[in-house]
Amino acid sequence: MGSLRAILKHPDDLYPLVKLKIAARHAEKQIPPEPHWGFCYTMLHKVSRSFALVIQQLDTDLRDAVCIFYLVLRALDTVEDDTSIATDVKVPILMAFHRHLYDREWHFSCGAKEYKVLMDEFHHVSTAFLELERSYQEAIEDITMRMGAGMAKFICKEVETTDDYDEYCHYVAGLVGLGLSKLFHASGKEDLPPDTLSNSMGLFLQKTNIIRDYLEDINEIPKSRMFWPRQIWSKYVNKLEDLKYEENSVKAVQCLNDMVTNALIHVEDSLKYMSALRDPAIFRFCAIPQIMAIGTLALCYNNIQVFRGVVKMRRGLTAKVIDRTKTMSDVYGDFYDFSRLLKSKVDDSDPNAKITKERLETILKICRNSGSLNKRKSYIIRSEPRYNSTMIVIIFIILAILLAYLSATRPRLVLWKSLCH
Ligand code: IN0
């Protein structure tokens, strides 16, 4: 019902949403027949939802390498995240994870739901890893080793300063950027960019996740996970968890805005990184999460809901970003729109208003100087829904056709499968 209301409010979300749904169904039917590759691609769709579709559009060799890299990182993350594993068990696993990639027998049971399946059946991932070209294996092994060591370091260390924060984000996300750049280079499709730019791509995504996931992380059972740096939150409250209490709402939002302002530092490098990409599929793969990140920051800024529940971009807007991101002009356009939206939310009474506005102005200037803004139509900033009664009738007819189509294809698929067996 919530999604129907969202579609009525944003009727032009419907087309990209339907397109995304059809693409997802198509991708699910293209799962490779070999059991280990079949497992890896099925798992990828389960753990990364829409992002799996973007991976699927890469050329075969690179796509397989990225799929394995993604699953290895998710597995490493599952070990790091599982707060029920004792430190003396966890640290050696993280440190040796890169070696386990070469051992088809290795597995370690932890995590929940689909992540538990990933961990229990990890032999499929290592079997697939061993079939990758050596240059891809080396890149994945090197990053897994450095990330595991970094995670182990932060098991026993709190994120105190903003330097610690950058260091932690480097291990868990900046290194992903370095690894992906190596994979792109190994595929022969891209030059190797400076490490600082690859690092910033990851830091921008991870800092956005850390901001958005405050409540989920603080409420983690049996133990909170805390990634917001003390150097920032201690300006507003005595304990990080105090931000979620209603009496601290004003301070909480100021602290949140400080965190968003910190994340904005990485935008300039990220835009530079993306503007140097040549392959259209690699470009889309990199650009879509970055646009989602600036969109999420615009949504979170000055928004007390971050401390009350889940704040996420609506599915229709995600579908639009996936559908329409093709060139660097699209990226500049979306960064421009979201930065303007963010700037409109800055209140002069906020302690960091000046620096936030300066950082946003730098981004807006880069986008303007790209010279590509006037060639596009903004689909992000639109205050009123543009629909009338005819539009609503059309939407209902399309939805009815879609529902009929979806329910008609299901039994036929089952029948088709049973005929094949
Ligand atoms: C990613 C990144 C990612 C993609 C493209 C280029 C990158 C360059 C540098 C660093 C990371 C890059 O993207 C994914 C996006 C993702 O998983 N989205 C989720 C949404 C969500 O809320 O989780 C989805 O379901 O669609 C990402 O977030 N990370 C990631 C992990 C592995 C790889 Cl190979 C690429 C995680 C992280 C921690 C930000 C690096």
Side-chain angles (χ1 to χ4, degrees):
M1 204 59 211
S3 47
L4 184 61
R5 200 175 306 131
I7 287 173
L8 287 175
K9 210 169 160 203
H10 306 274
D12 51 350
D13 282 3
L14 188 63
Y15 172 70
L17 272 170
V18 172
K19 218 170 144 186
L20 191 69
K21 187 91 196 152
I22 292 171
R25 288 195 140 221
H26 181 70
E28 276 164 28
K29 282 189 229 155
Q30 284 191 320
I31 301 291
E34 303 91 338
H36 52 295
W37 284 107
F39 175 86
C40 291
Y41 277 98
T42 307
M43 219 54 233
L44 181 70
H45 282 280
K46 286 201 172 129
V47 299
S48 81
R49 296 175 299 274
S50 45
F51 187 57
L53 293 176
V54 189
I55 296 183
Q56 203 94 22
Q57 289 170 11
L58 296 168
D59 272 357
T60 319
D61 281 3
L62 180 61
R63 181 181 68 199
D64 286 346
V66 171
C67 171
I68 299 308
F69 189 36
Y70 195 89
L71 293 178
V72 167
L73 298 175
R74 283 283 171 156
L76 199 58
D77 206 43
T78 305
V79 177
E80 189 212 18
D81 272 4
D82 191 330
T83 40
S84 68
I85 310 171
T87 305
D88 58 338
V89 177
K90 198 184 268 193
V91 168
I93 294 173
L94 291 173
M95 300 289 289
F97 210 93
H98 62 290
R99 286 199 292 272
H100 302 321
L101 296 176
Y102 292 89
D103 177 1
R104 276 177 229 257
E105 307 293 305
W106 183 86
H107 69 97
F108 176 75
S109 193
C110 65
K113 298 183 206 158
E114 58 270 27
Y115 297 100
K116 185 170 167 13
V117 181
L118 173 66
M119 296 311 292
D120 285 341
E121 312 249 340
F122 196 76
H123 62 99
H124 287 308
V125 181
S126 38
T127 304
F129 170 81
L130 289 166
E131 284 179 14
L132 295 177
E133 262 176 42
R134 190 66 196 129
S135 53
Y136 291 136
Q137 287 178 350
E138 277 168 1
I140 296 173
E141 180 190 352
D142 174 54
I143 298 301
T144 308
M145 178 186 75
R146 292 159 70 183
M147 191 183 292
M151 284 173 166
K153 178 175 174 184
F154 274 89
I155 298 280
C156 324
K157 180 178 153 64
E158 297 246 313
V159 181
E160 297 280 346
T161 63
T162 50
D163 283 347
D164 293 342
Y165 184 44
D166 282 6
E167 189 187 353
Y168 173 74
C169 291
H170 164 73
Y171 292 135
V172 299
L175 284 174
V176 179
L178 268 65
L180 284 171
S181 297
K182 274 195 197 172
L183 296 182
F184 302 157
H185 184 60
S187 76
K189 291 181 192 301
E190 299 289 351
D191 295 333
L192 200 58
D195 283 355
T196 47
L197 298 191
S198 307
N199 188 51
S200 295
M201 289 283 287
L203 260 61
F204 185 57
L205 298 183
Q206 180 62 3
K207 287 187 175 181
T208 303
N209 290 345
I210 287 177
I211 293 168
R212 182 199 61 193
D213 296 340
Y214 166 85
L215 196 65
E216 193 185 318
D217 289 338
I218 208 88
N219 288 342
E220 183 74 20
I221 295 168
K223 214 167 130 261
S224 297
R225 288 176 312 177
M226 302 203 245
F227 305 116
W228 289 36
R230 180 190 294 271
Q231 195 180 339
I232 292 183
W233 60 255
S234 62
K235 290 189 260 172
Y236 307 95
V237 279
N238 295 325
K239 287 197 275 68
L240 182 58
E241 71 236 49
D242 290 349
L243 294 174
K244 69 176 174 179
Y245 302 121
E246 227 168 297
E247 63 268 28
N248 298 325
S249 293
V250 173
K251 290 284 169 198
V253 165
Q254 289 177 348
C255 182
L256 168 65
N257 296 347
D258 203 336
M259 291 288 287
V260 172
T261 306
N262 171 285
L264 291 174
I265 301 177
H266 307 291
V267 171
E268 202 173 338
D269 276 359
S270 294
L271 291 173
K272 214 179 273 170
Y273 180 100
M274 288 184 279
S275 66
L277 293 171
R278 288 194 296 235
D279 180 82
I282 294 178
F283 173 79
R284 273 170 53 74
F285 169 81
C286 292
I288 289 167
Q290 296 287 319
I291 296 174
M292 299 295 295
I294 187 79
T296 304
L297 289 184
L299 200 62
C300 288
Y301 187 86
N302 227 9
N303 186 351
I304 191 67
Q305 284 311 315
V306 171
F307 304 96
R308 306 281 179 266
V310 183
V311 176
K312 267 199 178 154
M313 261 167 65
R314 65 173 204 278
R315 201 140 169 78
L317 195 48
T318 304
K320 263 187 194 163
V321 171
I322 295 176
D323 186 40
R324 300 188 193 181
T325 305
K326 300 215 162 62
T327 66
M328 200 55 208
S329 299
D330 300 326
V331 173
Y332 286 128
D334 289 354
F335 269 77
Y336 184 80
D337 287 346
F338 281 125
S339 302
R340 264 199 339 166
L341 181 63
L342 221 159
K343 203 170 155 211
S344 72
K345 292 168 86 181
V346 181
D347 191 324
D348 282 332
S349 64
D350 185 275
N352 294 289
K354 191 166 169 278
I355 175 100
T356 311
K357 281 188 184 168
E358 275 168 17
R359 289 199 180 148
L360 288 168
E361 207 37 69
T362 307
I363 300 169
L364 291 169
K365 201 167 145 199
I366 295 170
C367 298
R368 260 188 244 112
N369 289 349
S370 74
S372 48
L373 292 182
N374 44 5
K375 293 182 205 128
R376 60 186 288 279
K377 186 173 141 256
S378 163
Y379 60 87
I380 290 157
I381 300 179
R382 217 191 56 220
S383 47
E384 286 303 315
R386 286 177 301 177
Y387 59 81
N388 51 31
S389 50
T390 325
M391 189 72 142
I392 294 174
V393 173
I394 293 171
I395 288 166
F396 272 106
I397 293 172
I398 294 173
L399 276 177
I401 294 171
L402 187 69
L403 278 173
Y405 166 78
L406 291 178
S407 48
T409 50
R410 256 193 195 287
R412 258 196 281 135
L413 265 180
V414 174
L415 181 67
W416 174 244
K417 276 186 193 148
S418 60
L419 281 174
C420 291
H421 284 131

